[in-house]
């Protein structure tokens, strides 16, 4: 406690750049638990960069933790064989613009050229800027779909992907040697703009990005005549301008924007969790749908890399899962590219290991190679990079993950809700011209391939003890694996941290080829599976269930049994 008190006193003395921090430090003067939570560790820097609660202390997102991380990144760039330039974007969250400018000041002071967007922009547009401008790295200030109290700082490599584990560790080693107050260089932002050290990213870069998005369309010529009507919500984030613009360009004439969620607002007053996976976040949009009766409700998260939808089904609107939307898009792209004669030779689709296995059946039907990667869109982007290195980037046709992230085309290397919004609307318009609703399209897909049901359970582990509990849970499972889950026999256990797959019946062990990761997969009888992993960006344990049934009722019943038993196994 003495060390924490000493750190607290140092911050009281030195943290004067942001008045909010000074006020917060004064508020916790007599709160030992509050001090401990703010200073018991440094905010962790990994492949997802930084993410945490906004506030004072080493375990918080603030101007000092951002600048220290940026100084580490600057030293990493200067020591490496990459371009000495960085692109920066930021979203609508509290202090995002301040943190982005602060990062730019540090880079400029270190002699690194900075390109920064003039206003808030989606995360995929950062990936685009890195590649388009030939930068050595990129930064986007965002906490994606986390609650309003969070912000984050994601770093991208010159390939437009989030940092690899090795690169993140190399940056972290630089960060760890920097004093948060005395070890950081910083320039004046306006002076750096005037001398050319910092430049604003022009409209030409934005136009070029949207042109690439539009190139991914298959039947955009049909959209204008389809009569498609859309209710759209950017959830107070960055999607408002680019999504509306691309929908207008492909001919979606009737777009009604949810007024309460149209403008940027980091407080997210109408949705405590601005996540299109959660019904509550879409409630304002659903309410507007009752009045407007659209063909589709479209919702993008604050940094516009994820998109969720709801579609009319009788007298209500049904939310589609990320797995369902991704599977529908995959089949649409496969079928229509073959019909149009634009399918490349030896096409490749990519999904994460926790994403629906209906993709295997779809890819088999259309002769598409399916590559399965670890959780995290950077691994999908990495596969595009492999194809590019082979001179065949065109082979990549689509990639997605269950958490509402999709990408068609290799122009960026992260999930992109702008292109996904365009393709979802185009797909809906295409089916509408054929007299088919998205509900009917989904039914036809399940009739052909079987009903796959996927469910995610989240177990929150907050505070200093939360990380310890998550480690204990994963350690316990590695020591003793369950033989059955929900009465269903475990066939094999894959431990991606140990890179081993163990046959439950024979004990035979085979080597896994994917990179090491803190993930355990249980393959069960009846085509079921349970996958568990700690979140890389939130204080949560995530459990993914996959079941298959003759109908949805049967698949849900099996998943419910698996979830009830596994929750007990975890001790929640």
């Amino acid at each position: 406690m003495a060390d924490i008190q000493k750190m607290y006193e140092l911050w009281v003395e030195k943290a004067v750049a942001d008045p909010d921090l000074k006020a917060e430090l004064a508020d916790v003067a007599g709160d030992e638990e509050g001090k401990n939570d703010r200073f018991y560790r440094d905010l962790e820097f990994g492949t997802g960069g930084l993410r945490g609660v906004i506030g004072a202390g080493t375990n918080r997102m603030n101007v000092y933790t951002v600048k220290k991380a940026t100084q580490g990144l600057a030293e990493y760039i200067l020591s490496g064989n990459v371009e000495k330039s960085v692109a920066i974007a930021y979203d609508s969250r509290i202090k995002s613009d301040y943190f982005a400018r602060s990062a730019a000041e540090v880079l400029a002071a270190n002699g690194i050229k900075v390109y920064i967007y003039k206003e808030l922009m989606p995360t995929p547009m950062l990936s685009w800027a890195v590649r388009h401008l030939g930068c050595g790295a990129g930064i986007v200030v965002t906490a994606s779909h986390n609650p309003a109290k969070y912000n984050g700082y994601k770093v991208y490599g010159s390939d437009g992907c989030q940092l690899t584990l090795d690169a993140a560790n190399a940056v972290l080693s630089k960060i760890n040697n920097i004093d948060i107050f005395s070890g950081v260089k910083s320039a004046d932002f306006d002076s750096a703009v005037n001398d050319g050290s910092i430049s604003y990213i022009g409209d030409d870069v934005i136009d070029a990005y949207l042109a690439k998005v539009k190139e991914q369309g298959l039947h955009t010529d049909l959209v204008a005549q389809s009569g498609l009507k859309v209710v759209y919500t950017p959830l107070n984030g960055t999607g408002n301008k680019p999504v509306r613009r691309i929908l207008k360009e492909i001919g979606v004439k009737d777009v009604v924007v949810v007024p309460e969620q149209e403008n940027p607002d980091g407080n997210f007053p109408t949705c405590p969790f601005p996540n299109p996976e959660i019904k509550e976040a879409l409630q304002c949009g659903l309410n507007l749908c009752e009045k407007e009766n659209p063909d589709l409700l479209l919702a993008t998260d604050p940094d516009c890399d994820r998109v969720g939808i709801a579609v009319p089904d009788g007298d209500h609107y049904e939310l589609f899962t990320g797995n369902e939307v991704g599977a529908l898009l995959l089949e649409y792209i496969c079928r229509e590219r073959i019909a149009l004669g634009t399918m490349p030779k030896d096409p490749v689709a990519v999904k994460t290991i926790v994403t629906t296995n209906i993709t295997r059946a779809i890819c088999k039907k259309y002769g598409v190679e399916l590559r399965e990667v670890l959780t995290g869109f950077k691994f999908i982007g990495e596969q595009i990079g492999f194809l590019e290195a082979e001179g065949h980037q065109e082979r990549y046709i689509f990639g997605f993950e269950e958490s509402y992230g999709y990408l068609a085309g290799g122009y960026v290397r992260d999930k992109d809700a702008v292109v996904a919004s365009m393709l979802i609307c185009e797909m809906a318009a295409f089916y509408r011209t054929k007299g088919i609703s998205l509900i009917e399209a989904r039914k036809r897909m399940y009739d052909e391939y079987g009903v796959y049901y996927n469910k995610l359970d989240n177990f929150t582990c907050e505070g200093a003890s939360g990380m310890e509990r998550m480690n204990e849970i994963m350690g316990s499972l590695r020591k003793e694996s369950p033989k059955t889950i929900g009465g269903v026999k475990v066939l094999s256990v894959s431990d991606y941290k140990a890179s081993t797959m163990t046959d439950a019946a024979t004990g035979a062990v085979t080597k896994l080829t994917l990179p090491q990761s803190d993930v355990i997969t249980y393959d069960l009888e009846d085509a079921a599976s349970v996958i568990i992993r700690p979140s890389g960006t939130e204080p949560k344990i995530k459990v993914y269930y996959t079941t298959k049934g003759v109908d949805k009722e049967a698949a849900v019943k099996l998943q419910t049994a698996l979830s009830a038993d596994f929750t007990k196994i975890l001790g929640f």
Side-chain angles (χ1 to χ4, degrees), residues 232 243 246-247 250 296 298-300 304 307 416-426:
Y232 169 58
V243 170
I246 200 67
L247 294 187
I250 68 166
L296 182 68
L298 196 68
T300 54
C304 197
V307 58
D416 186 353
V418 181
V419 75
S421 295
M422 182 194 79
L423 284 171
I424 289 166
C425 288
E426 181 201 296

PDB file of all heavy atoms in Angstrom, residues 232 243 246-247 250 296 298-300 304 307 416-426:
ATOM      1  N   TYR A 232     -31.645   3.500 -39.886  1.00  0.00           N
ATOM      2  CA  TYR A 232     -30.227   3.350 -39.546  1.00  0.00           C
ATOM      3  C   TYR A 232     -29.890   4.107 -38.265  1.00  0.00           C
ATOM      4  O   TYR A 232     -30.338   5.223 -38.055  1.00  0.00           O
ATOM      5  CB  TYR A 232     -29.356   3.873 -40.687  1.00  0.00           C
ATOM      6  CG  TYR A 232     -27.890   3.991 -40.320  1.00  0.00           C
ATOM      7  CD1 TYR A 232     -27.165   2.870 -39.887  1.00  0.00           C
ATOM      8  CD2 TYR A 232     -27.227   5.208 -40.384  1.00  0.00           C
ATOM      9  CE1 TYR A 232     -25.825   2.972 -39.532  1.00  0.00           C
ATOM     10  CE2 TYR A 232     -25.890   5.321 -40.044  1.00  0.00           C
ATOM     11  CZ  TYR A 232     -25.190   4.205 -39.609  1.00  0.00           C
ATOM     12  OH  TYR A 232     -23.875   4.316 -39.250  1.00  0.00           O
ATOM     13  N   VAL A 243     -21.525   5.697 -43.743  1.00  0.00           N
ATOM     14  CA  VAL A 243     -22.553   4.701 -44.055  1.00  0.00           C
ATOM     15  C   VAL A 243     -23.676   5.329 -44.870  1.00  0.00           C
ATOM     16  O   VAL A 243     -24.122   4.765 -45.886  1.00  0.00           O
ATOM     17  CB  VAL A 243     -23.099   4.043 -42.762  1.00  0.00           C
ATOM     18  CG1 VAL A 243     -24.332   3.193 -43.070  1.00  0.00           C
ATOM     19  CG2 VAL A 243     -22.027   3.184 -42.105  1.00  0.00           C
ATOM     20  N   ILE A 246     -22.409   5.906 -48.490  1.00  0.00           N
ATOM     21  CA  ILE A 246     -22.285   4.735 -49.358  1.00  0.00           C
ATOM     22  C   ILE A 246     -23.657   4.168 -49.711  1.00  0.00           C
ATOM     23  O   ILE A 246     -23.881   3.716 -50.837  1.00  0.00           O
ATOM     24  CB  ILE A 246     -21.375   3.655 -48.727  1.00  0.00           C
ATOM     25  CG1 ILE A 246     -20.866   2.684 -49.809  1.00  0.00           C
ATOM     26  CG2 ILE A 246     -22.083   2.866 -47.645  1.00  0.00           C
ATOM     27  CD1 ILE A 246     -19.930   3.310 -50.812  1.00  0.00           C
ATOM     28  N   LEU A 247     -24.614   4.238 -48.779  1.00  0.00           N
ATOM     29  CA  LEU A 247     -25.964   3.761 -49.089  1.00  0.00           C
ATOM     30  C   LEU A 247     -26.606   4.649 -50.158  1.00  0.00           C
ATOM     31  O   LEU A 247     -27.280   4.152 -51.070  1.00  0.00           O
ATOM     32  CB  LEU A 247     -26.832   3.734 -47.827  1.00  0.00           C
ATOM     33  CG  LEU A 247     -26.427   2.731 -46.744  1.00  0.00           C
ATOM     34  CD1 LEU A 247     -27.468   2.695 -45.633  1.00  0.00           C
ATOM     35  CD2 LEU A 247     -26.218   1.335 -47.316  1.00  0.00           C
ATOM     36  N   ILE A 250     -25.139   3.769 -53.650  1.00  0.00           N
ATOM     37  CA  ILE A 250     -25.599   2.537 -54.312  1.00  0.00           C
ATOM     38  C   ILE A 250     -27.094   2.564 -54.606  1.00  0.00           C
ATOM     39  O   ILE A 250     -27.630   1.606 -55.158  1.00  0.00           O
ATOM     40  CB  ILE A 250     -25.239   1.270 -53.508  1.00  0.00           C
ATOM     41  CG1 ILE A 250     -26.029   1.188 -52.199  1.00  0.00           C
ATOM     42  CG2 ILE A 250     -23.743   1.171 -53.293  1.00  0.00           C
ATOM     43  CD1 ILE A 250     -25.985  -0.180 -51.537  1.00  0.00           C
ATOM     44  N   LEU A 296     -35.538  -3.052 -43.119  1.00  0.00           N
ATOM     45  CA  LEU A 296     -34.313  -3.396 -42.422  1.00  0.00           C
ATOM     46  C   LEU A 296     -33.952  -2.324 -41.396  1.00  0.00           C
ATOM     47  O   LEU A 296     -34.064  -1.131 -41.682  1.00  0.00           O
ATOM     48  CB  LEU A 296     -33.182  -3.495 -43.464  1.00  0.00           C
ATOM     49  CG  LEU A 296     -31.780  -3.888 -43.031  1.00  0.00           C
ATOM     50  CD1 LEU A 296     -31.746  -5.341 -42.570  1.00  0.00           C
ATOM     51  CD2 LEU A 296     -30.817  -3.690 -44.206  1.00  0.00           C
ATOM     52  N   LEU A 298     -30.642  -1.144 -39.405  1.00  0.00           N
ATOM     53  CA  LEU A 298     -29.194  -1.278 -39.494  1.00  0.00           C
ATOM     54  C   LEU A 298     -28.569  -0.490 -38.347  1.00  0.00           C
ATOM     55  O   LEU A 298     -28.937   0.674 -38.116  1.00  0.00           O
ATOM     56  CB  LEU A 298     -28.741  -0.698 -40.839  1.00  0.00           C
ATOM     57  CG  LEU A 298     -27.369  -0.987 -41.414  1.00  0.00           C
ATOM     58  CD1 LEU A 298     -27.255  -2.458 -41.803  1.00  0.00           C
ATOM     59  CD2 LEU A 298     -27.145  -0.096 -42.641  1.00  0.00           C
ATOM     60  N   ALA A 299     -27.619  -1.101 -37.619  1.00  0.00           N
ATOM     61  CA  ALA A 299     -26.980  -0.418 -36.495  1.00  0.00           C
ATOM     62  C   ALA A 299     -25.478  -0.676 -36.517  1.00  0.00           C
ATOM     63  O   ALA A 299     -25.041  -1.829 -36.535  1.00  0.00           O
ATOM     64  CB  ALA A 299     -27.562  -0.895 -35.169  1.00  0.00           C
ATOM     65  N   THR A 300     -24.678   0.399 -36.540  1.00  0.00           N
ATOM     66  CA  THR A 300     -23.221   0.259 -36.460  1.00  0.00           C
ATOM     67  C   THR A 300     -22.739   0.724 -35.093  1.00  0.00           C
ATOM     68  O   THR A 300     -23.315   1.628 -34.497  1.00  0.00           O
ATOM     69  CB  THR A 300     -22.517   1.079 -37.557  1.00  0.00           C
ATOM     70  OG1 THR A 300     -22.948   2.445 -37.505  1.00  0.00           O
ATOM     71  CG2 THR A 300     -22.823   0.504 -38.927  1.00  0.00           C
ATOM     72  N   CYS A 304     -17.664   1.937 -35.810  1.00  0.00           N
ATOM     73  CA  CYS A 304     -18.158   1.499 -37.118  1.00  0.00           C
ATOM     74  C   CYS A 304     -17.314   0.380 -37.734  1.00  0.00           C
ATOM     75  O   CYS A 304     -17.008   0.397 -38.915  1.00  0.00           O
ATOM     76  CB  CYS A 304     -18.247   2.684 -38.088  1.00  0.00           C
ATOM     77  SG  CYS A 304     -19.279   2.371 -39.537  1.00  0.00           S
ATOM     78  N   VAL A 307     -21.575  -4.316 -37.292  1.00  0.00           N
ATOM     79  CA  VAL A 307     -22.929  -3.922 -37.694  1.00  0.00           C
ATOM     80  C   VAL A 307     -23.912  -5.015 -37.304  1.00  0.00           C
ATOM     81  O   VAL A 307     -23.627  -6.210 -37.443  1.00  0.00           O
ATOM     82  CB  VAL A 307     -23.000  -3.616 -39.214  1.00  0.00           C
ATOM     83  CG1 VAL A 307     -22.570  -4.803 -40.035  1.00  0.00           C
ATOM     84  CG2 VAL A 307     -24.395  -3.165 -39.621  1.00  0.00           C
ATOM     85  N   ASP A 416     -15.103  -4.212 -41.247  1.00  0.00           N
ATOM     86  CA  ASP A 416     -15.535  -2.930 -41.805  1.00  0.00           C
ATOM     87  C   ASP A 416     -17.054  -2.875 -41.897  1.00  0.00           C
ATOM     88  O   ASP A 416     -17.662  -3.533 -42.737  1.00  0.00           O
ATOM     89  CB  ASP A 416     -14.912  -2.741 -43.191  1.00  0.00           C
ATOM     90  CG  ASP A 416     -15.193  -1.366 -43.775  1.00  0.00           C
ATOM     91  OD1 ASP A 416     -15.969  -0.602 -43.174  1.00  0.00           O
ATOM     92  OD2 ASP A 416     -14.627  -1.052 -44.848  1.00  0.00           O
ATOM     93  N   ALA A 417     -17.660  -2.075 -41.017  1.00  0.00           N
ATOM     94  CA  ALA A 417     -19.119  -1.965 -41.005  1.00  0.00           C
ATOM     95  C   ALA A 417     -19.643  -1.099 -42.138  1.00  0.00           C
ATOM     96  O   ALA A 417     -20.844  -1.113 -42.406  1.00  0.00           O
ATOM     97  CB  ALA A 417     -19.603  -1.418 -39.664  1.00  0.00           C
ATOM     98  N   VAL A 418     -18.780  -0.356 -42.807  1.00  0.00           N
ATOM     99  CA  VAL A 418     -19.235   0.437 -43.954  1.00  0.00           C
ATOM    100  C   VAL A 418     -19.523  -0.503 -45.124  1.00  0.00           C
ATOM    101  O   VAL A 418     -20.611  -0.486 -45.710  1.00  0.00           O
ATOM    102  CB  VAL A 418     -18.209   1.515 -44.342  1.00  0.00           C
ATOM    103  CG1 VAL A 418     -18.738   2.343 -45.526  1.00  0.00           C
ATOM    104  CG2 VAL A 418     -17.913   2.438 -43.155  1.00  0.00           C
ATOM    105  N   VAL A 419     -18.552  -1.365 -45.461  1.00  0.00           N
ATOM    106  CA  VAL A 419     -18.795  -2.309 -46.561  1.00  0.00           C
ATOM    107  C   VAL A 419     -19.851  -3.338 -46.166  1.00  0.00           C
ATOM    108  O   VAL A 419     -20.668  -3.757 -47.002  1.00  0.00           O
ATOM    109  CB  VAL A 419     -17.490  -3.010 -47.004  1.00  0.00           C
ATOM    110  CG1 VAL A 419     -17.041  -4.086 -46.028  1.00  0.00           C
ATOM    111  CG2 VAL A 419     -17.653  -3.615 -48.396  1.00  0.00           C
ATOM    112  N   ALA A 420     -19.873  -3.730 -44.888  1.00  0.00           N
ATOM    113  CA  ALA A 420     -20.887  -4.697 -44.451  1.00  0.00           C
ATOM    114  C   ALA A 420     -22.280  -4.101 -44.551  1.00  0.00           C
ATOM    115  O   ALA A 420     -23.216  -4.773 -45.003  1.00  0.00           O
ATOM    116  CB  ALA A 420     -20.596  -5.140 -43.017  1.00  0.00           C
ATOM    117  N   SER A 421     -22.437  -2.840 -44.151  1.00  0.00           N
ATOM    118  CA  SER A 421     -23.741  -2.172 -44.264  1.00  0.00           C
ATOM    119  C   SER A 421     -24.189  -2.110 -45.717  1.00  0.00           C
ATOM    120  O   SER A 421     -25.354  -2.361 -46.040  1.00  0.00           O
ATOM    121  CB  SER A 421     -23.664  -0.757 -43.681  1.00  0.00           C
ATOM    122  OG  SER A 421     -23.422  -0.790 -42.294  1.00  0.00           O
ATOM    123  N   MET A 422     -23.259  -1.779 -46.598  1.00  0.00           N
ATOM    124  CA  MET A 422     -23.577  -1.717 -48.023  1.00  0.00           C
ATOM    125  C   MET A 422     -24.020  -3.077 -48.547  1.00  0.00           C
ATOM    126  O   MET A 422     -25.048  -3.198 -49.232  1.00  0.00           O
ATOM    127  CB  MET A 422     -22.362  -1.227 -48.808  1.00  0.00           C
ATOM    128  CG  MET A 422     -22.627  -1.096 -50.304  1.00  0.00           C
ATOM    129  SD  MET A 422     -21.129  -0.900 -51.302  1.00  0.00           S
ATOM    130  CE  MET A 422     -20.555  -2.610 -51.386  1.00  0.00           C
ATOM    131  N   LEU A 423     -23.268  -4.126 -48.225  1.00  0.00           N
ATOM    132  CA  LEU A 423     -23.588  -5.456 -48.746  1.00  0.00           C
ATOM    133  C   LEU A 423     -24.872  -6.020 -48.150  1.00  0.00           C
ATOM    134  O   LEU A 423     -25.638  -6.699 -48.842  1.00  0.00           O
ATOM    135  CB  LEU A 423     -22.427  -6.415 -48.483  1.00  0.00           C
ATOM    136  CG  LEU A 423     -21.209  -6.244 -49.401  1.00  0.00           C
ATOM    137  CD1 LEU A 423     -20.057  -7.099 -48.912  1.00  0.00           C
ATOM    138  CD2 LEU A 423     -21.569  -6.595 -50.852  1.00  0.00           C
ATOM    139  N   ILE A 424     -25.119  -5.750 -46.875  1.00  0.00           N
ATOM    140  CA  ILE A 424     -26.369  -6.204 -46.252  1.00  0.00           C
ATOM    141  C   ILE A 424     -27.561  -5.557 -46.948  1.00  0.00           C
ATOM    142  O   ILE A 424     -28.552  -6.227 -47.281  1.00  0.00           O
ATOM    143  CB  ILE A 424     -26.378  -5.888 -44.739  1.00  0.00           C
ATOM    144  CG1 ILE A 424     -25.378  -6.803 -44.005  1.00  0.00           C
ATOM    145  CG2 ILE A 424     -27.773  -6.057 -44.159  1.00  0.00           C
ATOM    146  CD1 ILE A 424     -25.065  -6.348 -42.594  1.00  0.00           C
ATOM    147  N   CYS A 425     -27.463  -4.241 -47.180  1.00  0.00           N
ATOM    148  CA  CYS A 425     -28.565  -3.542 -47.855  1.00  0.00           C
ATOM    149  C   CYS A 425     -28.710  -4.012 -49.298  1.00  0.00           C
ATOM    150  O   CYS A 425     -29.833  -4.190 -49.787  1.00  0.00           O
ATOM    151  CB  CYS A 425     -28.343  -2.031 -47.797  1.00  0.00           C
ATOM    152  SG  CYS A 425     -28.579  -1.327 -46.156  1.00  0.00           S
ATOM    153  N   GLU A 426     -27.575  -4.227 -49.974  1.00  0.00           N
ATOM    154  CA  GLU A 426     -27.641  -4.728 -51.344  1.00  0.00           C
ATOM    155  C   GLU A 426     -28.276  -6.116 -51.391  1.00  0.00           C
ATOM    156  O   GLU A 426     -29.124  -6.398 -52.246  1.00  0.00           O
ATOM    157  CB  GLU A 426     -26.236  -4.792 -51.947  1.00  0.00           C
ATOM    158  CG  GLU A 426     -26.240  -5.274 -53.390  1.00  0.00           C
ATOM    159  CD  GLU A 426     -24.909  -5.818 -53.845  1.00  0.00           C
ATOM    160  OE1 GLU A 426     -23.940  -5.039 -53.896  1.00  0.00           O
ATOM    161  OE2 GLU A 426     -24.842  -7.023 -54.159  1.00  0.00           O
TER     162      GLU A 426
END
